[in-house]
Amino acid sequence: MKGLNMFELERNLRNWLEEDMPFGDITSDYIFDDTMTGTGELIAKEEGVICGTQIFAKIYELIDRAVEIEFSVNEGDRVSVGDVIGVVNGPMAGVLKGERLGLNLMQRLSGIATMSATFSDLVKDLPTVIVDTRKTTPGLRSLEKYAVRVGGCTNHRYSLSDAVMIKDNHISGAGGIAEAVTLVREHIPHTVKVEVEAETLTEVQSCIDAGADIIMLDNMDNDMTREAVGMIRKAGKGITIEASGNMTMDRIRGVAETGVDVISIGALTHSVKAMDISLKFAK
Amino acid sequence: MKGLNMFELERNLRNWLEEDMPFGDITSDYIFDDTMTGTGELIAKEEGVICGTQIFAKIYELIDRAVEIEFSVNEGDRVSVGDVIGVVNGPMAGVLKGERLGLNLMQRLSGIATMSATFSDLVKDLPTVIVDTRKTTPGLRSLEKYAVRVGGCTNHRYSLSDAVMIKDNHISGAGGIAEAVTLVREHIPHTVKVEVEAETLTEVQSCIDAGADIIMLDNMDNDMTREAVGMIRKAGKGITIEASGNMTMDRIRGVAETGVDVISIGALTHSVKAMDISLKFAK
Amino acid sequence: MKGLNMFELERNLRNWLEEDMPFGDITSDYIFDDTMTGTGELIAKEEGVICGTQIFAKIYELIDRAVEIEFSVNEGDRVSVGDVIGVVNGPMAGVLKGERLGLNLMQRLSGIATMSATFSDLVKDLPTVIVDTRKTTPGLRSLEKYAVRVGGCTNHRYSLSDAVMIKDNHISGAGGIAEAVTLVREHIPHTVKVEVEAETLTEVQSCIDAGADIIMLDNMDNDMTREAVGMIRKAGKGITIEASGNMTMDRIRGVAETGVDVISIGALTHSVKAMDISLKFAK
Amino acid sequence: MKGLNMFELERNLRNWLEEDMPFGDITSDYIFDDTMTGTGELIAKEEGVICGTQIFAKIYELIDRAVEIEFSVNEGDRVSVGDVIGVVNGPMAGVLKGERLGLNLMQRLSGIATMSATFSDLVKDLPTVIVDTRKTTPGLRSLEKYAVRVGGCTNHRYSLSDAVMIKDNHISGAGGIAEAVTLVREHIPHTVKVEVEAETLTEVQSCIDAGADIIMLDNMDNDMTREAVGMIRKAGKGITIEASGNMTMDRIRGVAETGVDVISIGALTHSVKAMDISLKFAK
Amino acid sequence: MKGLNMFELERNLRNWLEEDMPFGDITSDYIFDDTMTGTGELIAKEEGVICGTQIFAKIYELIDRAVEIEFSVNEGDRVSVGDVIGVVNGPMAGVLKGERLGLNLMQRLSGIATMSATFSDLVKDLPTVIVDTRKTTPGLRSLEKYAVRVGGCTNHRYSLSDAVMIKDNHISGAGGIAEAVTLVREHIPHTVKVEVEAETLTEVQSCIDAGADIIMLDNMDNDMTREAVGMIRKAGKGITIEASGNMTMDRIRGVAETGVDVISIGALTHSVKAMDISLKFAK
Amino acid sequence: MKGLNMFELERNLRNWLEEDMPFGDITSDYIFDDTMTGTGELIAKEEGVICGTQIFAKIYELIDRAVEIEFSVNEGDRVSVGDVIGVVNGPMAGVLKGERLGLNLMQRLSGIATMSATFSDLVKDLPTVIVDTRKTTPGLRSLEKYAVRVGGCTNHRYSLSDAVMIKDNHISGAGGIAEAVTLVREHIPHTVKVEVEAETLTEVQSCIDAGADIIMLDNMDNDMTREAVGMIRKAGKGITIEASGNMTMDRIRGVAETGVDVISIGALTHSVKAMDISLKFAK
C-alpha cells in the first residue's frame, strides 16, 4: 500500500472496529466458540476495479490472526460479476466481526477505483492526467486518494498544507494576482508549488506574469480553454495547466483534447457509488 | 443534535480539521491578516433536505470564534435550487479554513437526509417505517444515522453490541433457530431484542416458535412476504416484522403494503450522492 | 472473553500500566537484569469466584512476552482458601511490573463475580434473573459487567444509548407515561426496548396501556409487587417485569417469588469488596 | 483540587461521559427540549465525608454550561443523613446526562474520604499518619488518592516510578539488603527515598545499616513492632518507620501506640463502600 | 501564528504540561491558595530574536485563564541583554505551573530564531534563501520550522510526504536518475516538486535532462557549485538550485555568491543553543 | 532500557514516525518494491558516547520487522571518529523511512550522553554526583533523562509531582521557610523529599532548622558554598547538599571540592549539541 501512513491506518481500523462493536459482538460471541470455523468467499456482484485487499487483510490481522485471507485478484484488477475476489477462512466469530467493516471499506474504495478507472480510460491515449480534489470523506482522505491512484488517476494536493492554491478571495485579499503570489512565495518552502485559479483570459495572463507554477482554468468552455492553453504554452515557462469545474464524463475527452495537462474531478470521491461485493459462506 | 455523542463529535471535528491542514493553511495564512474579513453565502445548488447546520457551526467554533454563522433554514428543512441556507461572516483565513470540511460534511449529510426523505415520503401514509443499516462510512456512523433521522427515517441497530441479529451462519453454528435464540438470551441483557433472519416460511415459523422479538424477511418477494406477515400476526406475540434485501425505490411501496413494520435499506448510507451546496463570497 | 471490546481492553491496560509506572519501575529496573527469573503462585486468600484470568494474562503479554502464566482454574470457577489459581513465571522485573495491576483487576472482578454468584444462587431454582445497573466504576463498565456475567447474573443496559428508561422526570417532561413512550418511539430504532418506571399500581396500568416493553417496579413492597405482576401478566403483552430498589440479600428471594422476571441490584458493582488474592514467590 | 492533574481529569471525564452515552441519551434527548429545565437536590442518604464537589461541577461544565451547581457543603465536610449537599439546576436533558457519572464518582470518592476519616480519627491525638497504598482502581489512582487526602489521611507513593520499595524478591535478586539499596541508589535521583521491607528484627538491623530512608515493618505483631521502633530510633538516622499488613480498625490504635510514623492500609481504597447520595428532583 | 496547526499545538501543550505534573504541582498546590497572586518579568539574559510569545500565552490559557500575560516585544523582535520581554501576572500556583514549559519552549524557539536570523543576515543582500532540514526534534517539527521562519529563513519540505527527494539510494534502486524521476512522477500529485541530489557535474546534467524541479548540489566546493549553477541556468528550465552539506557560517556567503537559490542547513534546528531567558518575580 | 515507560516510548515513536510521513514516503514508496534490499552502516562522525541503540532498533520494529539491526557497540560505549556503530539491513523503503527519526533521536541522545560523560568525568574521583534539571525538551523528558543516566550522571526530580522544591516565591507565599516546609509536609507522601533553595547562609540555617531533606545552594561562590556545607554537615541530620546555578565546565571541579553531594546542570539537556552520526549505504 504505497503512499499510505500505516500507523494512521492501523489507528483508524482499530477505531472503526470499536465503532462497530463498542462492547463486543453480542450475537457471535455467545453462539460460536473458538473451535467453530467457517469459510466465506468474497464475490463481485457487479463489474469493477478491486481496491482494499490489503486493508481487508489488515482488519483480520487486528481481530484474530487465526483468520486467513487469500485473494485471487491483485489490487487494481478489474473483475466481472460473479468473480471470486478472495477467500476468508477461520474462527466464525472473528470472521463475522470483521465482515461489515471489511466490506464497507472495500466496497467504497473499489467504487472509487472503478469510477477513477472509467474516467482515466476515457483519456488514456492522451497525455492528460485525471486527478481528484479535497472533496473526500472526513477521516478517509488518505484511503480515498489511495483508491484514486489504484484506479489509474493521480492526486491533487493532500491538504491546505502541502500546496498553495490561490482563489479569487485570496486575490482580492492580496490586491491582485501578482501580489498574492509574491506574498505567499515569501513564506513557503521552495519545494512547494503555487497554483492560481483563473476565470478569464486576462487572469490567465496575470497568472503567467505572476509566475504561477500551475494555472487552474476554472469553469471555462472548451474554446476558451484552448485559447488559454495556447497563451500559457507560448509563454514557455513550463507551467502546468489544470482544468476544473463540472467535469462530467461526456465533457472529459473534449477538455483533454484542448491540451490541458490535468483535469480535476470532485466526483471521483464526493459521491461514491459503493461497488457491490458480498461475503458468501459455505453452507 | 439529539442522539449524538457531543464529545465524540468534537474529537472527530478536530481530527478532520487536522487532516485538512496538518501544518496550517499555507495559502490563507500568508495572505490574510486577522483584520481582513469577508462574508459568504451557503447556497443550495440543487433541491434537497438540509442536514448538518449545527455541525457546520461547531466547526467554526473550533477554528475561530470570531466567525459568525447564521442559518436561514432549520435542520431538516427542504430547500430549492438557489435558496440561501445561511451566511458565514468573519476573518477570511478562518472562514476558508473551515470551508472544505464544512461543505464535505453538510453535503454528505444533506445527501443522506434527502435520500431518506425520498424513501420515507413514498410510504408516509402507511405505518411502515424505513430504517438504515450498518453499511455506513467507517468513522461516521453516528453522523450518518443522525442524517437518516433528520430525513424522516429511523435507525436500525447502531452496532454489533446493542441488538442481536441471528443470521444463517449463527443458525448453523448453534444447530438451529431455537438453539441460537436460547443460547443468546442466556447472556444478553433483558433490554436487548433478538432479531432473526428468515429466508423461507418454514424459517419464519421457527422464528415465531423460538421467541424472536423481530423477524427479518430476507429477500422474499411480495407474495411470500404477505404470507409471512399473516403467519406472524396470527401468532399474536407482538413480533416486529422487518423486510430487507434489494429495496429499491420502485419496490418500497409494494413491500410496505404487505404490512411489514420496517423496511431496511442499505442504500440510505452506502452510496451517498452528496447534495450540491456552495459557499459563495461577496465580491 | 465474550462480550468485550478487545481493542478498548488493550488500550485501557496500556493506560493503566502507564498510570503505575509513568517513568518505569525504579526499583526492579535497577535490581534485576533480564536473565533473573522467578516463579510466583496466585493464591486465593478467601473463598470466591475467580474472574479476570485472561485479562491477567493479557497484561503480561503487553509487558513482556517472556512471562508465562498458567492458570489451574477456569474463568468463573469457585475456589477455596489456599487454592492455587495459577502460576506466573519469567523475568522478575516483568513479573513485578504487572503484579499490582493484575491483582487490582483480578481481585476487583473476582469480588464482583463472587457477589454476583451469591445473589444468583439465592434464586437459582426460580426463573428470575439478577442484573446489574449503571452504578459501575467510571472507565470499567465493560469489565465490571463482564464480571457480573461470569458470576452468573446478566446485565441491564450498557449505557444511556442502548435502551430507553423512562423515569418520573421524563414522565413529567412529556406530560404523561403514554406521551413519553410515544415521543421516544418516534425516534429510536425498532431494535430498542422501552422500559418505564412505575411507583404505583396506577402507573403500572399506564405503562401497560402505553405499550412499555419492560416495566420497572420501583421500590414496591412484595405485596404490591405481586399485585403488579398479576396486572401485567393478565395484560398478556409479553411485558418484562423488573423489580428494583434496595434489593438486599435477605429480600431477594421473597421478591423473586412474586414472579418478577428481573431484579436489578446496584450493589453488584457499586461497592465492590475485592477478593483477597496474593502472588507468592518461591524463595 | 490540589495535587490533581487537571488535564488528565478533563480527559477522563470526557471518556467516562462517552462510556455512558456512546451515541447520546436516547431517552432524555427525545423527551426534553432545551427550554425544559429542572432542579435537583443532592442529598446524603447516610452519614459521611463529602468528596468530589468540584469534580461533580466540572462534569456539568463539560456537558452543558447552562447547568448550574451550588454546593452547600465544602469538600471534606462531614454530613448527616438527609443533609442537602448541593443543588443542580438547568436544562433537564443536560442534568440527567451527568447524573450517573456525577453520582458514581462522588459516592465512590466520598466513600473513600469517609473511610479515611474513620481511620484517621482513631489516631488523631497521636503523631502517626495513616496512608494509602497502590491498591487503587485502575484509571482512578489520582482521584482515589485525592479522596484519601480529603478524608484526612495522606498518600504512600503514587507509582512504581516515584519511590523505591525494596521487597524480599528484590533482596534475593540483589543478594542482600545492603546490595539492593546500593544498587538502586546508583541510578535513582537524590530526591527519591528508598524504602525497604523487613519481616524480622535482623532484617530491620540490615535496613538500618544499609541506609534505608524508610523501613516498612511487614506484618509484625505489636511487640515486635515496638522493639523494631526502638532499634531504629536508637540508630538516630532520621529513618521513617512504616507499619503494614492487615491493618484493621481495631488494630490501628495499638499499632500507632508502638511509635511508628506511618501505617499503610490497602482497605482505604481497594474495597470502597460507596457513600449513598441521591439526586432528588423537585416535582 | 501563521502556518501552524492550532489543534496539534493545543494537544501538544496539554501533553507537555502533563509530562511536567502527572499528579499536580505538589509544592505550589499546597502553599498557595487562589487568592495569592504575583507578578513576574520575562527578561532576556542574552541578545537574540524572540520566538514563542503566543505559545507562551497559550500555555497559561490552558492552565488558568486568570493568569495574564502582556508582551512588550513582538514575535521576531531582536532584544538585548536585560530587556523585559513581557510580564506575567496572576495566581502564583498557576504562574509557577506554566513557568518551566513556557521557558523551555520560548528559549528553544528563540534559540532557533536567533540562529536563523544570524544565517539569514549573512546573505540578506543576496537573492539566496536559507532553509532548514528534517533534522528537527521529534514531536516539535512544526514549532521548530515556525521558529526558522520567525528568524527570517524559510523551510525545506515538512516531511517525506510533501515533496520528493531522490538520493543516491533511490537512483541505484531505480537504475538511474531519469528512471527514478519518471517512476515517481507517475504516482505523485502534479502539485508536488521533484528534487534530485547530485554529487558530480555529470549527475547535474542527468538531473537537468530528467526534468528535476530542484537540483541539490551535495557537498560540492564553490568552484564546482559555480559550474553547476552555470549549467543549470543555461538549460533555462526554471530549475531551482539548492546547495547542501556542511554549511557553516564562514562558508555561507561564498556559497550564496555562486548564485544558488537555496542553501539548506541542518544546524538551524539540530543543535539548538537555547536562548537564556528568565522569569523574575517581584519580591 | 531501564527506567523508561515502554508504552509511552512506543506511543511517541509512532507519533514521530507519523510526523515525518503523514501520508507515506512518496519517494521511496514509488521507487522501491519489497524485494529491493540494502545495507547501511551507522558511523560515528565524531567522538562521543552512544545512546539510543535499542530505541533505534524499536523504530524499525514498528516500521518493518524485515529490517534487521545489529549493533557493534553497547549502550553507553564511547566511540571514535569513523567507528561503525551498527549495521542496518533490509528492504530499502523501510530502511529509509526510519532513517531520519532514528538518527534525529540517536544523535540527540548521544549528544546528551556525551555531554553528561564529560561533566561526570571531571569529578569521577570525588563523591559528588552530577544531575540534570527539568530544562528538557517538551515531550522528551523521559528519553533525555535516560541519556543523562547513560552518560554517567543521575537525574534530579522528574516533574513537579515527585519531589518538593521550595523556592523564594513559595517562601514568600508561606511566610517563611519553616512555614513552607510545614505546610507541604502536611500533604505530601512520607516517601517524598523536601528540597529548599537557599541564597544566603541565614537561609541555609533556616533550611536546616525547618527540616529540609535537601538544601539547594543557589548561585553561591565556592567560599560561601564551603561555609554552607560546613554548617549543614555540622547539623548532622543527613541533609543532602545540592549546588546549582551557572555550573560551567571550568567551575564544576572547584564546586565539587567544596564537599557538596550534588551539582545540578541545566546545560546537560537544554542546549544539546547533537552527536554527528551518519547512515552510509553500501553502493
Side-chain angles (χ1 to χ4, degrees), chain D residues 210-231:
Chain D
D213 296 303
I214 308 168
I215 300 176
M216 187 220 264
L217 309 178
D218 191 24
N219 272 309
M220 293 185 181
D221 63 23
N222 292 2
D223 284 345
M224 200 194 283
T225 299
R226 208 169 291 113
E227 205 167 339
V229 171
M231 288 167 63

Side-chain angles (χ1 to χ4, degrees), chain D residues 10 28 42 51 138 168 209 212 214 216 228 231 234 236 242-243 271:
Chain D
E10 185 181 324
S28 299
L42 279 166
C51 178
D168 47 5
D209 297 343
I214 308 168
M216 187 220 264
M231 288 167 63
K234 194 169 142 206
E242 178 181 336
S271 294

